[in-house]
């Protein structure tokens, strides 16, 4: 019996352990198995409350970095792009923001800042964005009152997540452009570049 | 005790058979699927790949003039690709150096789910010197059985002028030197 037990243990180490090691990708990080698969969702599930030419609703939100961020603090000095994403640990969102990590220079050329916003709480956003590497832009939590900022723009979906939306606000605080994407798809970079180029110089 | 050793030896023998069996499967040549890419507008890239034509035309991947071809599957939105980009650039440099006195080695990149604009931005950001192509609808990624980015498909050209797949991996390689060596060895060089 003891011999059989030893053999089973031997079999486990020789066969199962190498198998377990081999199925874990060498590029650990946002591992595919850590992403919750949402399936295909209703493309847009809200009605905008703002329009181009409106003054953007002001807000103050806590950030993953620790300091609260107030939109109106940028008035007079910086153009602002708000990037709302639906939820942490979901497809599309989990590559959209890492991709924006390559846009720092593009934003700087247009005197613009990028603010990432999600309705997730700070601990969730901390864990999620830590997997993305060092993001150069602030990540803000619109968790409580739940989705209040998304609601003020009219981009809070009926399930409590936000739309995948980009709001372009010039340095005077006026909305220059709004992109509410199909939630299942990532907005192409060229659309962002084109709108950044249209920003006035502060 | 003797029985235990005997059983262990048998198990070890069984384990050894697994890679042997895998090797046997690899022996059956897996050819690079046929697909086309747009002719690069850059004359430098046309010369690098050995293809000609207007940038509105397409060329077959098997027409690339190379003894060894490495295809990188990447995405502008993939943080692992960002991290791996310097090492991939280093591998390209090593491949260029090898090509001067050895087999002609070429590398291309396919931007999975990326637009042309996004691919260009990636190329500019990381100063990628080899040609990159957009694979917006991920047709090529699926055709090449991509399983995450970055991914790599290494091929050697057979006597019939067709590329045979000799390396397929997802995830970063350990070192550019080691991966170059692996490519050369698998290509029989």
């Amino acid at each position: 019996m003891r011999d059989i037990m030893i053999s089973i243990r031997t079999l486990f180490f020789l066969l199962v352990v190498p198998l377990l090691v081999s199925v874990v990708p060498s590029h650990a990080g946002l591992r595919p198995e850590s992403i919750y698969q949402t399936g295909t969702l209703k493309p847009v599930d809200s009605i905008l409350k703002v329009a181009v030419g409106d003054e953007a609703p002001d807000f103050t939100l806590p950030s993953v970095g620790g300091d609260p961020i107030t939109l109106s603090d940028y008035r007079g000095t910086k153009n602002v792009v708000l990037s709302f994403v639906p939820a942490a640990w979901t497809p599309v969102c989990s590559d959209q923001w890492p991709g924006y990590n390559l846009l720092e220079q593009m934003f700087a050329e247009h005197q613009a800042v990028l603010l990432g916003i999600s309705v997730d709480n700070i601990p969730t956003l901390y864990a999620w964005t830590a997997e993305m590497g060092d993001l150069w832009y602030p990540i803000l939590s619109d968790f409580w009152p739940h989705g209040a900022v998304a609601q003020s723009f009219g981009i809070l979906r009926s399930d409590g997540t936000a739309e995948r939306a980009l709001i372009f606000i010039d340095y005077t605080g006026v909305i220059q452009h709004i992109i509410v994407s199909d939630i299942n798809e990532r907005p192409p970079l060229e659309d962002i570049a084109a709108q950044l180029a249209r920003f006035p110089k502060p | 005790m003797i029985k235990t050793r005997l059983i262990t030896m048998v198990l070890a023998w069984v384990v050894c058979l697994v890679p042997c069996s895998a090797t046997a499967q690899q022996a059956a040549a897996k050819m690079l699927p046929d697909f086309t890419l747009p002719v690069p507008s850059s004359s430098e890239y046309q010369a690098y790949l050995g293809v000609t034509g207007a940038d509105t035309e397409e060329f077959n991947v098997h027409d690339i003039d190379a003894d060894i071809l490495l295809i990188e599957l990447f995405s502008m939105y993939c943080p692992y690709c960002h991290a791996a980009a310097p090492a991939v650039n280093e591998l390209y440099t090593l491949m260029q150096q090898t090509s001067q006195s050895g087999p002609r080695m070429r590398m291309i990149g396919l931007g999975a789910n990326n637009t042309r604009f996004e691919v260009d931005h990636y190329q500019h950001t990381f100063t990628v010197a080899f040609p990159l192509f957009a694979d917006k609808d991920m047709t090529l990624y699926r055709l090449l059985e991509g399983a995450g980015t970055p991914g790599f498909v290494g091929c050697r050209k057979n006597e019939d002028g067709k590329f045979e797949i000799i390396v397929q991996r997802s995830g970063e390689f350990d070192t550019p030197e080691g991966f170059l060596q692996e490519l050369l060895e698998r290509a029989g060089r």
Side-chain angles (χ1 to χ4, degrees), chain B residues 80-148:
Chain B
Y80 316 112
C81 302
H82 304 171
V88 174
N89 284 346
E90 200 178 327
L91 175 62
Y92 164 78
T93 302
L94 290 174
M95 288 170 66
Q96 286 295 87
Q97 290 168 357
T98 304
S99 296
Q100 288 173 5
S101 54
R104 183 178 168 90
M105 303 186 79
R106 293 294 181 260
M107 194 190 313
I108 62 172
L110 303 177
N113 197 16
N114 287 179
T115 64
R116 180 71 247 173
F117 188 92
E118 290 164 343
V119 164
D120 288 345
H121 186 73
Y122 183 90
Q123 187 148 32
H124 175 74
T125 302
F126 294 107
T127 326
V128 177
F130 55 90
L132 302 181
F133 301 87
D135 180 24
K136 179 67 184 105
D137 59 6
M138 298 181 75
T139 302
L140 302 180
Y141 179 85
R142 293 190 188 95
L143 190 65
L144 296 173
E145 300 170 8

Side-chain angles (χ1 to χ4, degrees), chain B:
Chain B
M1 190 64 183
I2 293 172
K3 190 178 172 188
T4 305
R5 283 186 182 167
L6 190 64
I7 293 170
T8 305
M9 284 174 67
V10 170
L11 288 173
W13 180 72
V14 169
V15 170
C16 287
L17 278 185
V18 174
C20 291
S21 167
T23 306
Q25 284 175 355
Q26 285 167 3
K30 184 177 181 183
M31 303 308 293
L32 182 69
D34 256 314
F35 61 89
T36 59
L37 293 166
V39 174
S41 54
S42 148
S43 57
E44 188 184 337
Y45 282 160
Q46 288 189 18
Y48 174 75
L49 298 174
V51 299
T52 54
D55 57 9
T56 52
E57 296 176 40
E58 299 209 322
F59 68 94
N60 190 296
V61 67
H62 291 280
D63 291 339
I64 293 175
D65 183 12
D67 300 312
I68 299 172
L69 171 67
L70 181 63
I71 303 172
E72 183 196 14
L73 306 175
F74 73 97
S75 168
M76 195 210 90
Y77 294 91
C78 158
Y80 316 112
C81 302
H82 304 171
V88 174
N89 284 346
E90 200 178 327
L91 175 62
Y92 164 78
T93 302
L94 290 174
M95 288 170 66
Q96 286 295 87
Q97 290 168 357
T98 304
S99 296
Q100 288 173 5
S101 54
R104 183 178 168 90
M105 303 186 79
R106 293 294 181 260
M107 194 190 313
I108 62 172
L110 303 177
N113 197 16
N114 287 179
T115 64
R116 180 71 247 173
F117 188 92
E118 290 164 343
V119 164
D120 288 345
H121 186 73
Y122 183 90
Q123 187 148 32
H124 175 74
T125 302
F126 294 107
T127 326
V128 177
F130 55 90
L132 302 181
F133 301 87
D135 180 24
K136 179 67 184 105
D137 59 6
M138 298 181 75
T139 302
L140 302 180
Y141 179 85
R142 293 190 188 95
L143 190 65
L144 296 173
E145 300 170 8
T149 53
F152 299 91
V153 180
C155 313
R156 72 172 171 212
K157 189 164 270 189
N158 288 340
E159 287 181 2
D160 63 358
K162 298 289 186 184
F163 284 114
E164 175 190 343
I165 295 175
I166 51 171
V167 174
Q168 251 178 317
R169 66 171 297 145
S170 62
E172 303 92 324
F173 44 77
D174 291 334
T175 64
E177 294 83 2
F179 194 44
L180 174 73
Q181 196 58 36
E182 182 183 348
L183 276 171
L184 290 169
E185 285 174 5
R186 298 259 184 115
R189 299 288 182 154

Side-chain angles (χ1 to χ4, degrees), chain A residues 141-196:
Chain A
S141 169
D142 189 18
F143 177 69
W144 200 257
H146 188 79
V149 174
Q151 184 73 280
S152 70
F153 283 87
I155 51 172
L156 189 68
R157 294 169 66 95
S158 61
D159 64 357
T161 60
E163 299 288 3
R164 190 176 311 287
L166 292 159
I167 315 282
F168 296 79
I169 304 164
D170 72 18
Y171 70 93
T172 69
V174 173
I175 296 174
Q176 291 288 320
H177 193 72
I178 301 169
I179 300 174
V180 180
S181 306
D182 177 340
I183 195 171
N184 305 292
E185 294 177 11
R186 193 176 51 223
L189 178 59
E190 41 269 58
D191 290 359
I192 298 171
Q195 294 309 320
L196 285 173

